[in-house]
Amino acid sequence: MTTIPVGPPSGPSFFEQLGGHETFVRLVDAFYRGVAGDPVLRPMYPEEDLGPAKERLTLFLEQYWGGPTTYSQQRGHPRLRMRHNPFTVNPDARDRWLAHMRVAVDELGLPPLQDETLWNYLERAAFAMVNTFEE
Ligand code: HEM
């Protein structure tokens, strides 16, 4: 008789498989290097220093992939679309965000399956974040 797996997945989380905190820090650092030089995205970030924004994205991604739940402890429910409402996330902003993220994911040099899993999510999330088609 074959057994059908039920219940939550067992084994290491995707967070752990990717290399844990250190990998997410590398990803987000590389991403924000791109944002820092982007004439459309950079002005959207209010703080002089991108440090706090970096921290929030790192914590969110870690939590999403099964790492520590520090993001929600500090920020509550993610409500990401709502939190992006103050910003003009049009297709141009989305494509710039994704271009910097693609460079950052490439820098991690992940095995193809992990790369694809991470990238599929980021791409879907970025498309879902678009809140206007105006310039
Ligand atoms: C599509 C283009 C996107 C643009 C232009 C954009 C822009 C921004 C800006 C300007 C902020 C405020 C900076 C801050 O104070 O933290 C922000 C916050 C944030 N973004 Fe995005 N974002 C985009 C997509 C995404 C995606 C796809 C994700 C998740 C996969 C994401 C996750 C976050 C998180 C977690 C925060 C901090 C929320 C908080 O706790 O306040 N963003 N984003």
Side-chain angles (χ1 to χ4, degrees):
M1 207 174 88
T2 52
T3 49
I4 298 165
V6 288
S10 54
S13 61
F14 193 64
F15 168 78
E16 285 163 332
Q17 289 174 44
L18 286 187
H21 180 65
E22 195 219 329
T23 303
F24 285 85
V25 169
R26 277 166 59 212
L27 174 71
V28 174
D29 273 355
F31 170 71
Y32 274 101
R33 276 201 299 279
V35 169
D38 189 301
V40 171
L41 297 187
R42 182 62 188 90
M44 288 189 198
Y45 293 83
E47 283 137 306
E48 268 310 297
D49 178 8
L50 290 174
K54 234 160 112 165
E55 171 91 0
R56 288 188 279 271
L57 183 58
T58 306
L59 291 176
F60 171 80
L61 292 174
E62 290 183 347
Q63 172 172 308
Y64 180 84
W65 290 111
T69 54
T70 319
Y71 177 85
S72 280
Q73 285 161 29
Q74 291 184 0
R75 308 285 296 162
H77 189 285
R79 299 179 200 284
L80 281 192
R81 263 190 67 86
M82 188 200 77
R83 290 193 206 262
H84 286 76
N85 275 343
F87 312 110
T88 301
V89 185
N90 59 20
D92 178 47
R94 173 200 67 204
D95 291 346
R96 288 167 179 273
W97 193 99
L98 278 171
H100 300 306
M101 201 46 105
R102 186 61 254 180
V103 170
V105 173
D106 281 345
E107 281 187 26
L108 296 179
L110 298 171
L113 188 57
Q114 291 184 0
D115 184 299
E116 202 179 307
T117 303
L118 180 60
W119 182 248
N120 281 349
Y121 163 72
L122 291 167
E123 207 169 36
R124 245 185 321 113
F127 272 72
M129 219 60 80
V130 172
N131 55 25
T132 178
F133 287 89
E134 313 212 324
E135 288 293 300

